[in-house]
């Protein structure tokens, strides 16, 4: 909510999957109350037209810490700052790096405004793939050792969780989804496990696919894709991926 | 989005944590376009004042399948129906029971509108507890055998996931959070693992607590509490629970 703190305030705002129709009303209110909106170029461009009278400051990919410092600097100048993230600000977002840096800025208060992360928006398009216990795993090994990612994939099968996979691929990691599927298969997930993926959720060119784990293994996905792997009881019906809640069992 | 289907349409709408300020703009648009809003009493009451000119139909707790059938019945009468859920419609929500029932209603299209689930809204209040790979586990054994829940808790430790726990307690399950903590401890989670919980997220009486796993074990939580358990690297600073993303490591 809009803070009544006497400190400087920085809002860390989740924008949802892209289109402003997935903004929460709280996020809109906070953005309207801000002097400056800071973010990664691509996300800033998604909202620029909706909030035309704001100062915008954007930085490129992998400049996360610079972006955080910029927010604290602008806030120190007395400006109300919103740092925007796609999806949710606390799911692979900027909330934790901002908090980690906060000890250097004791006069600044951080307020996180949640948003609809891709696990939720992608699930909504695919049907109900996460409608029971689930886990969320990023395949990006930029800041996480691959061994940790592998350990989590194995644990996800052991726990029979439904799984949402973020960052399934990039130019440098073109075969990571295949590697991940091989780990799931080796751990005992069946080749016909029900899966699916969504590309460009809520944006132009949205594309959804349902398939088996065997088919997923050789699918062509990109960095704008979110992948869903059902639990052992999930199924595909009429193009939708469904994980049972249990009412009908 | 608002469907242009020639079929009957039922929207399954996530309301977010309670206050309508966490509604997405899409959810508001769909509710405004609906003739009837159906849901569990408590959730329907949260939005009744914001959409005063609608027909409301509510059913009690554990009447999930009746609620689904009611939606299909109303839709068959030519009404535009929204079935509302707290949080997100696809996270322990009504999306999957509606899809499971859909084979009996081939002329009806389902559209899921995602919302901010308690894992996200609670995390925002607590700091950044889910800012790396995480899992979401419900402790309710109404429709899930306790052995499955236990297996998932163990797997969550094996994978070193941050964990969001839904339904940590109820009158009949007063000691379930303690049982869950004991499983995590037995599996190797340390007694001083950083944890926290939020009660009444986004509603009157919101309360946040950060604590260790040992303290969480004997905490008094209720059915309106969402519990967060950090991964092995999470920490508490200045009353906030932070799971590192890795930029500063």
């Amino acid at each position: 909510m809009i803070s009544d703190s006497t400190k400087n305030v920085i809002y860390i705002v989740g924008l949802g999957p892209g289109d402003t129709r997935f903004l929460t009303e709280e996020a809109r209110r906070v953005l309207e109350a801000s002097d400056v909106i800071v973010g990664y170029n691509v996300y800033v461009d998604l909202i620029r037209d909706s909030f035309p009278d704001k100062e915008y400051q954007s930085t490129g990919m992998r400049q996360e810490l610079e972006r955080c410092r910029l927010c604290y600097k602008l806030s120190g100048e007395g400006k109300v700052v919103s740092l925007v993230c796609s999806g949710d600000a606390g799911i692979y977002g900027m909330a934790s790096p901002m908090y980690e840096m906060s000890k250097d800025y004791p006069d600044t208060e951080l307020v996180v405004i949640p948003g609809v992360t891709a696990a939720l928006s992608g699930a909504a398009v695919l049907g109900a793939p996460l409608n029971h216990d689930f886990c969320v795993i990023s395949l990006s090994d930029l800041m996480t050792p691959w061994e940790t990612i592998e350990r989590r994939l194995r644990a996800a099968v052991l726990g029979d969780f439904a799984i949402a996979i973020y960052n399934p691929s990039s130019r440098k990691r073109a075969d990571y989804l295949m590697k991940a599927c091989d780990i799931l298969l080796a751990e005992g997930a069946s080749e016909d496990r029900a899966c699916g993926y969504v590309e460009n959720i809520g944006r132009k060119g949205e594309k959804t696919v349902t398939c088996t784990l065997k088919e997923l293994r050789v699918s062509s996905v990109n960095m704008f894709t979110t992948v869903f792997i059902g639990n052992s009881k999930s199924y595909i019906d009429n193009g939708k991926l469904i994980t049972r809640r249990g009412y009908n069992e």
Side-chain angles (χ1 to χ4, degrees), chain A residues 92 118-120 123 129-130 134-139 153 156 161-167 196 226-230:
Chain A
Y92 308 111
L120 310 187
L130 304 181
F134 68 97
C135 54
V136 178
I137 302 174
S138 167
L139 297 192
L153 290 165
F161 287 100
I163 312 170
I165 292 187
Y166 284 46
N167 307 308
T226 308
V227 171
F228 295 83
I229 294 161

Side-chain angles (χ1 to χ4, degrees), chain A residues 203-222:
Chain A
R203 302 185 200 176
K204 212 181 146 189
E206 184 179 275
K207 173 186 159 191
T208 69
V209 174
T210 51
C211 57
T212 65
L213 182 54
K214 187 179 175 182
E215 290 162 346
L216 180 68
R217 186 180 173 279
V218 292
S219 293
S220 157
V221 298
N222 61 37

Side-chain angles (χ1 to χ4, degrees), chain A residues 75-92:
Chain A
S75 174
E77 293 167 5
K79 291 174 175 166
V80 179
V81 179
S82 277
L83 171 58
V84 296
C85 310
S86 80
D88 180 80
I91 307 298
Y92 308 111

Side-chain angles (χ1 to χ4, degrees), chain A residues 137-141 144-153:
Chain A
I137 302 174
S138 167
L139 297 192
S140 169
D141 60 353
T144 306
W146 178 257
E147 295 67 34
T148 303
I149 298 169
E150 179 163 343
R151 174 182 171 191
R152 289 181 176 153
L153 290 165

Side-chain angles (χ1 to χ4, degrees), chain A residues 126 192-196 209-213 215 233-243:
Chain A
L126 266 182
D192 54 7
R193 175 75 62 103
C195 298
V209 174
T210 51
C211 57
T212 65
L213 182 54
E215 290 162 346
K233 291 183 178 173
S234 303
Y235 66 98
I236 293 168
D237 180 45
N238 208 7
K240 298 291 179 179
L241 174 57
I242 315 296
T243 295

Side-chain angles (χ1 to χ4, degrees), chain A residues 177-199:
Chain A
L177 182 60
M178 182 181 278
K179 281 169 67 177
C181 290
D182 285 339
I183 291 165
L184 300 174
L185 289 164
E187 200 60 40
S190 114
E191 283 193 336
D192 54 7
R193 175 75 62 103
C195 298
Y197 56 92
V198 190
E199 217 174 284

Side-chain angles (χ1 to χ4, degrees), chain A residues 101-136:
Chain A
M101 216 176 263
S102 65
K103 55 185 175 306
D104 299 334
Y105 304 91
D107 294 332
T108 302
E109 184 193 354
L110 301 178
V111 176
V112 181
I113 308 292
V116 175
T117 187
L120 310 187
S121 54
V125 177
L126 266 182
L130 304 181
N131 221 131
H132 206 305
D133 305 326
F134 68 97
C135 54
V136 178

